[in-house]
């Protein structure tokens, strides 16, 4: 057998190249039911109709064939085997006769997606190879079997499906999506595909005019499968849509936590772990008198020294203390805190710096029952899930600085965070993300220069418990979006700001901006919208506007509050949140210069 010739390498295309090809040339504004026809029309315009070589590439073999004709209506090519046989097999043996029989079984018609164009320097087949790459990518990574099943077929397939799925593909490729969310997305795709196959098989087996008991049972089973399918599709849509992925996130992956609690030492010994690369005599004397002697007053305590904080934390057991001396400590791995320990910077936060430079899902991840952090500056680079994630247990943080590059502090369901006198800034997501069922106390913090200040995720599912939040004396300012934004389900029963009460909450005036307006650069606040809030109460923070966006046949509503004045409308809007019992206490907070307003509600 001869070796196989080289093929065009087209899998390295950039996002904008695929985006432009689908938007401008292949799909345009087609509906889901028109995708195949639009793709065929595009291929007819750019592909060579015959007389070119290709590899028929499957999971089992690659074999050289010659394309004799195109059947674009079915997206297939008529081919003949190139002799002598040139093929590469994986785990099997194929003879010339076996390959001829296989082609005869297919009537010499092969799916275009399975053909890789053989490379030629002439340039005559460049467009053919590129067109097949776009087709192959579309049906491998974009198209779903159930896309044509949508009852509402009258929508732009590119806008609703292609663009968000394409962006998600490249976000995953470029490590911008947490690994747990990627695993969840792929699992949902597999479950949805299996459910669709079962539903389709059951539907094909039903007789249209039969009323037998068996058919009635099948109908009930079919309805159950349909509900499951719709649930899977809704979850996939949330992950695929960048906005919804941000505001709703995912329930995620407590099972992903692999570091187990070590518990107390069998000997009962407590250890003080001192972290320093080097220190002066004066520092050592100060450390000894101020911290080590009080901590090591009993005989069951010993002192150990480390050069980096990760090594110290990895050796900790329940009840240990880590003292980090001034210095800049660069770490390359995540810091996991599974035990109840105390990590304390011996100095000012700007003097005790822990910096993470490489990529990863999170920087600091806490699952201990009672973890305490103080006097440390954390600098985040490329961590996807957050600078600090309280996955379970309780974390007390005081006098820390959190310099984010991607996302901020995340408080997962059933976790508890107490954050006092800290400074958080730079998050490309929310500064603090609060999940249902969590308890969060924020007192005396600065949260600024983030996408949003605080994002509260109230999913309003039956199993969800509302978060419990205390917000006192915080300064939330200069965030791109909202100071505080609450995400809620628009089920018509929310006790927050219902849509049909907009006349009560908003002054009469021009209609709010559309989704298209927002996409073209958002809406500028009026000149007085950046006025600060009086420290007596956050209830005097803002008045209200409304933005409306449409997505997936459902309406997504922003209730927008701007600091134009201190009229009663703003008090009512904040009181609605208070009535939610989400806020245990909210007082003394200052909101300044937040781009879209101070307080907002996002209905989905």
């Amino acid at each position: 057998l001869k070796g196989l010739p080289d093929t065009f390498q087209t899998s390295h295309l950039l996002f904008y190249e695929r985006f432009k090809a689908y938007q401008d040339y292949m799909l345009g504004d087609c509906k889901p039911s028109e995708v195949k026809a639009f793709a065929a029309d595009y291929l007819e315009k750019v592909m060579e109709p015959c007389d070119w070589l290709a590899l028929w590439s499957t999971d089992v073999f690659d074999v050289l064939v010659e394309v004799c004709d195109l059947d674009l209506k079915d997206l297939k090519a008529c081919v003949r085997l190139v002799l002598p046989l040139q093929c590469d097999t994986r785990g099997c043996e194929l003879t010339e006769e076996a390959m001829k029989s296989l082609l005869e079984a297919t009537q010499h018609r092969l799916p275009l997606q399975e053909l890789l164009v053989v490379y030629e320097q002439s340039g005559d087949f460049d467009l053919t190879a590129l067109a097949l790459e776009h087709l192959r990518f579309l049906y491998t990574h974009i198209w779903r079997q159930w896309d044509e099943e949508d009852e509402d077929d009258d929508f732009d397939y590119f806008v609703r499906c292609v663009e968000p799925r394409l962006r998600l593909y490249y976000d995953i490729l470029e490590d911008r999506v947490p690994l747990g969310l990627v695993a969840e997305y792929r699992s949902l795709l597999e479950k949805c595909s299996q459910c669709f196959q079962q539903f389709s098989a059951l539907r094909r087996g039903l007789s249209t005019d039969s009323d037998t008991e068996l058919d009635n049972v099948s109908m009930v089973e079919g309805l159950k499968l349909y509900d499951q399918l719709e649930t899977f599709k809704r979850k996939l849509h949330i992950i695929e849509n960048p906005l919804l992925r941000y505001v709703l996130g995912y329930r995620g992956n407590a099972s992903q936590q692999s570091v187990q609690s070590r518990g107390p030492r069998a000997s009962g010994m407590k250890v003080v772990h001192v972290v320093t690369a080097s220190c002066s005599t004066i520092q050592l004397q100060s450390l000894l008198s101020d911290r080590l002697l009080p901590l090591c007053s009993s005989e069951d305590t010993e002192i150990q020294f480390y050069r980096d904080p990760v090594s110290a934390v990895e050796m900790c057991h329940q009840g240990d203390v880590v003292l980090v001396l001034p210095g800049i400590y660069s770490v390359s791995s995540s810091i996991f805190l599974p035990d109840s320990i105390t990590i304390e910077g011996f100095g000012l936060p700007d003097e005790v710096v822990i910096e993470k430079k490489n990529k990863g899902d999170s920087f600091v991840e806490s699952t201990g029952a009672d973890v305490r952090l103080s006097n440390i500056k954390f600098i985040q680079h490329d961590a996807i899930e957050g600078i600090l994630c309280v996955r379970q247990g309780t974390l007390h943080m005081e006098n820390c600085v959190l310099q984010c590059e991607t996302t901020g502090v995340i408080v997962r369901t059933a976790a508890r965070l107490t954050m006092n006198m800290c400074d958080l800034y730079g998050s490309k997501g929310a500064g603090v993300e609060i999940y249902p069922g969590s308890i969060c106390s924020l007192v005396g913090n600065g949260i600024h220069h983030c996408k949003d200040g605080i994002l509260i995720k109230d999913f309003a599912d039956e199993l969800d418990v509302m978060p419990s939040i205390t917000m006192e004396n915080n300064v939330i300012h200069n965030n791109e979006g909202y100071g505080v934004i609450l995400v809620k389900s628009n089920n018509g029963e929310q006790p927050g700001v219902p849509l049909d009460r907009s006349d009560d909450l908003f002054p009469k005036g021009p209609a709010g901006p559309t989704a298209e307006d927002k996409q073209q650069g958002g809406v500028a606040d009026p000149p007085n919208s950046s006025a600060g809030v009086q420290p007596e109460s956050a209830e005097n923070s803002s008045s209200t506007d409304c933005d409306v966006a449409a997505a997936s046949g459902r309406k997504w509503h922003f209730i927008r509050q701007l600091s134009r004045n201190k009229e009663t409308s703003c008090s009512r809007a904040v009181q609605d949140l208070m009535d939610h019992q989400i806020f245990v206490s909210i007082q003394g907070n200052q909101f300044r210069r937040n781009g879209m307003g101070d307080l907002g509600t996002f209905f989905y």
Side-chain angles (χ1 to χ4, degrees):
L1 301 179
K2 292 184 177 180
L4 295 174
D6 294 333
T7 59
F8 284 92
Q9 300 302 305
T10 53
S11 59
H12 61 280
L13 295 180
L14 301 176
F15 166 81
Y16 79 90
E17 293 174 305
R18 298 190 192 275
F19 181 96
K20 185 174 181 62
Y22 292 132
Q23 183 182 49
D24 295 346
Y25 302 111
M26 180 179 280
L27 300 177
D29 58 355
C30 73
K31 303 173 184 178
S33 58
E34 300 171 332
V35 167
K36 189 174 181 180
F38 272 59
D41 184 58
Y42 164 72
L43 296 177
E44 184 178 10
K45 294 175 181 176
V46 299
M47 286 185 64
E48 293 294 327
C50 60
D51 300 329
W52 45 275
L53 298 179
L55 291 187
W56 179 19
S57 182
T58 69
D59 294 334
V60 180
F61 60 80
D62 296 325
V63 63
L64 186 64
V65 296
E66 182 182 358
V67 174
C68 307
D69 196 9
L70 298 178
D71 180 8
L72 295 177
K73 182 180 178 182
D74 292 327
L75 300 180
K76 291 187 176 183
C78 300
V79 304
R80 68 174 182 83
L81 190 63
V82 173
L83 299 176
L85 180 66
Q86 299 181 47
C87 71
D88 180 25
T89 60
R90 292 174 280 278
C92 67
E93 293 293 332
L94 281 178
T95 64
E96 185 177 308
E97 292 302 319
M99 188 56 67
K100 286 181 178 179
S101 299
L102 186 58
L103 279 174
E104 288 174 1
T106 65
Q107 298 180 336
H108 292 263
R109 297 169 72 249
L110 303 179
L112 286 171
Q113 299 160 241
E114 297 180 4
L115 297 181
L116 303 175
V117 182
V118 170
Y119 177 74
E120 281 198 14
Q121 291 184 339
S122 65
D124 293 340
F125 303 111
D126 290 8
L127 289 179
T128 298
L130 196 59
L132 288 185
E133 170 61 27
H134 291 316
L135 180 73
R136 186 162 40 248
F137 188 92
L138 173 68
Y139 280 100
T140 302
H141 300 291
I142 305 296
W143 178 258
R144 312 284 185 245
Q145 296 169 294
W146 50 87
D147 282 349
E148 282 187 302
E149 298 290 318
D150 200 316
E151 295 178 0
D152 176 22
D153 184 59
D154 190 19
F155 62 83
D156 188 324
Y157 184 71
F158 176 85
V159 171
R160 182 179 294 188
C161 298
V162 177
E163 181 179 358
R165 291 172 186 173
L166 186 62
R167 289 188 184 278
L168 177 61
Y169 173 85
Y170 278 91
D171 284 345
I172 292 173
L173 190 67
E174 296 166 9
D175 297 324
R176 290 198 294 263
V177 182
L179 295 178
L181 183 55
V182 175
E184 182 177 341
Y185 180 65
R186 289 171 177 165
S187 174
L188 281 171
L189 274 177
E190 184 176 352
K191 290 177 182 177
C192 195
S193 180
Q194 292 174 353
C195 185
F196 179 76
Q197 297 292 349
Q198 295 172 7
F199 176 73
S200 299
L202 189 64
R203 184 172 55 182
R204 287 193 300 268
L206 286 175
S207 174
T208 55
D209 56 355
S210 174
D211 194 27
T212 65
E213 184 177 346
L214 182 62
D215 274 356
N216 289 337
V217 171
S218 297
M219 282 287 291
V220 173
E221 184 65 25
L223 289 174
K224 290 181 179 178
L225 287 172
Y226 179 80
D227 287 342
Q228 289 180 16
L229 184 63
E230 289 302 306
T231 299
F232 288 140
K233 287 164 64 176
R234 182 178 66 86
K235 291 180 177 179
L236 287 170
H237 175 68
I238 287 174
I239 297 175
E240 289 168 350
N241 184 293
L243 174 61
L244 306 187
R245 185 163 70 244
Y246 163 60
V247 297
L248 299 183
Y250 69 111
R251 306 308 178 90
N253 64 5
S255 61
Q256 188 185 37
Q257 174 64 31
S258 59
V259 177
Q260 300 298 319
S261 172
R262 302 174 187 87
R265 289 180 177 82
S267 63
M269 181 73 69
K270 299 291 179 66
V271 176
V272 177
H273 308 261
V274 178
V275 179
T276 180
S278 64
C279 67
S280 66
T281 305
I282 296 176
Q283 280 181 321
L284 192 57
Q285 289 175 338
S286 177
L287 176 66
L288 186 63
S289 60
D290 293 348
R291 300 300 294 133
L292 292 182
L293 288 178
L295 288 170
C296 304
S297 57
S298 60
E299 294 182 357
D300 62 348
T301 304
E302 68 177 39
I303 303 171
Q304 296 178 2
F305 289 85
Y306 301 84
R307 295 184 65 86
D308 70 273
V310 175
S311 299
V313 169
E314 287 177 347
M315 297 304 295
C316 281
H317 285 253
Q318 181 177 314
D320 285 0
V321 175
V322 180
L323 297 177
V324 187
L325 269 64
I328 299 176
Y329 302 90
S330 294
V331 301
S332 57
S333 59
S334 298
I335 299 175
F336 294 101
L337 307 174
D339 288 284
S340 298
I341 65 173
T342 297
I343 305 177
E344 179 183 324
F346 187 67
L348 298 173
D350 285 338
E351 298 173 339
V352 184
V353 179
I354 302 177
E355 182 176 18
K356 185 172 186 290
K357 292 190 173 180
N358 68 329
K359 293 185 178 181
D361 268 10
S362 60
F363 185 175
V364 179
E365 188 157 321
S366 177
T367 56
D370 185 13
V371 178
R372 296 177 181 272
L373 295 176
S374 61
N375 305 331
I376 298 175
K377 180 175 184 177
F378 295 94
I379 300 178
Q380 170 204 44
H381 298 288
D382 292 328
I384 300 168
E385 191 173 344
I387 193 168
L388 189 153
C389 179
V390 189
R391 196 169 293 283
Q392 61 188 50
T394 300
L395 175 69
H396 302 274
M397 183 164 52
E398 185 169 333
N399 196 33
C400 289
V401 176
L402 300 116
Q403 179 180 318
C404 311
E405 186 174 277
T406 50
T407 53
V409 174
I410 299 172
V411 191
R412 292 287 186 188
T413 299
R416 181 191 293 258
L417 169 69
T418 300
M419 181 172 161
N420 298 337
M421 306 302 293
C422 294
D423 189 32
L424 188 157
Y425 57 92
S427 171
K428 293 179 183 175
V432 181
E433 291 186 15
I434 303 172
Y435 275 68
S438 63
I439 299 174
C440 188
S441 174
L442 305 173
V443 178
N445 303 287
I447 302 173
H448 54 99
H449 294 92
C450 302
K451 179 182 172 77
D452 291 301
I454 299 171
L455 177 65
I456 304 168
K457 300 186 176 185
D458 175 17
F459 293 103
D461 285 353
E462 292 181 2
L463 299 179
D464 281 339
V465 178
M466 288 184 183
S468 177
I469 302 170
T470 299
M471 279 183 59
E472 297 179 356
N473 302 320
N474 301 284
V475 181
I476 302 172
H477 65 96
N478 290 100
N479 296 290
E480 179 184 343
Y482 294 88
V484 177
I485 181 169
L486 172 67
V487 178
K488 289 191 55 58
S489 171
N490 182 21
N491 55 14
E493 300 175 356
Q494 67 271 13
V497 187
L499 301 177
D500 58 4
R501 287 180 52 202
S502 59
D503 288 345
D504 298 334
L505 293 175
F506 314 135
K508 296 285 186 179
T514 65
E516 182 177 343
D517 296 330
K518 289 175 65 62
Q519 290 174 358
Q520 292 177 352
V523 184
D525 291 338
N528 296 330
S529 67
S530 60
V533 177
Q534 296 297 323
E536 288 80 18
S537 173
E539 292 182 8
N540 292 330
S541 62
S542 45
S543 62
T544 320
D545 277 347
C546 182
D547 296 330
V548 181
S552 190
R554 303 177 66 183
K555 290 191 175 181
W556 308 77
H557 300 270
F558 280 107
I559 303 303
R560 183 177 172 205
Q561 295 178 260
L562 305 176
S563 306
R564 291 189 183 130
N565 50 49
K566 300 180 178 63
E567 299 298 332
T568 57
S569 61
C570 73
S571 298
R572 294 180 61 179
V574 176
Q575 187 62 47
D576 285 330
L577 297 180
M578 296 288 287
D579 291 343
H580 247 318
Q581 299 179 345
I582 287 177
F583 291 107
V584 176
S585 173
I586 176 169
Q587 60 183 342
N589 301 287
Q590 298 184 47
F591 295 84
R592 300 172 182 169
R593 296 182 294 277
N594 295 297
M596 295 182 68
D598 299 334
L599 301 173
T601 304
F602 176 66
F603 288 118
Y604 70 94

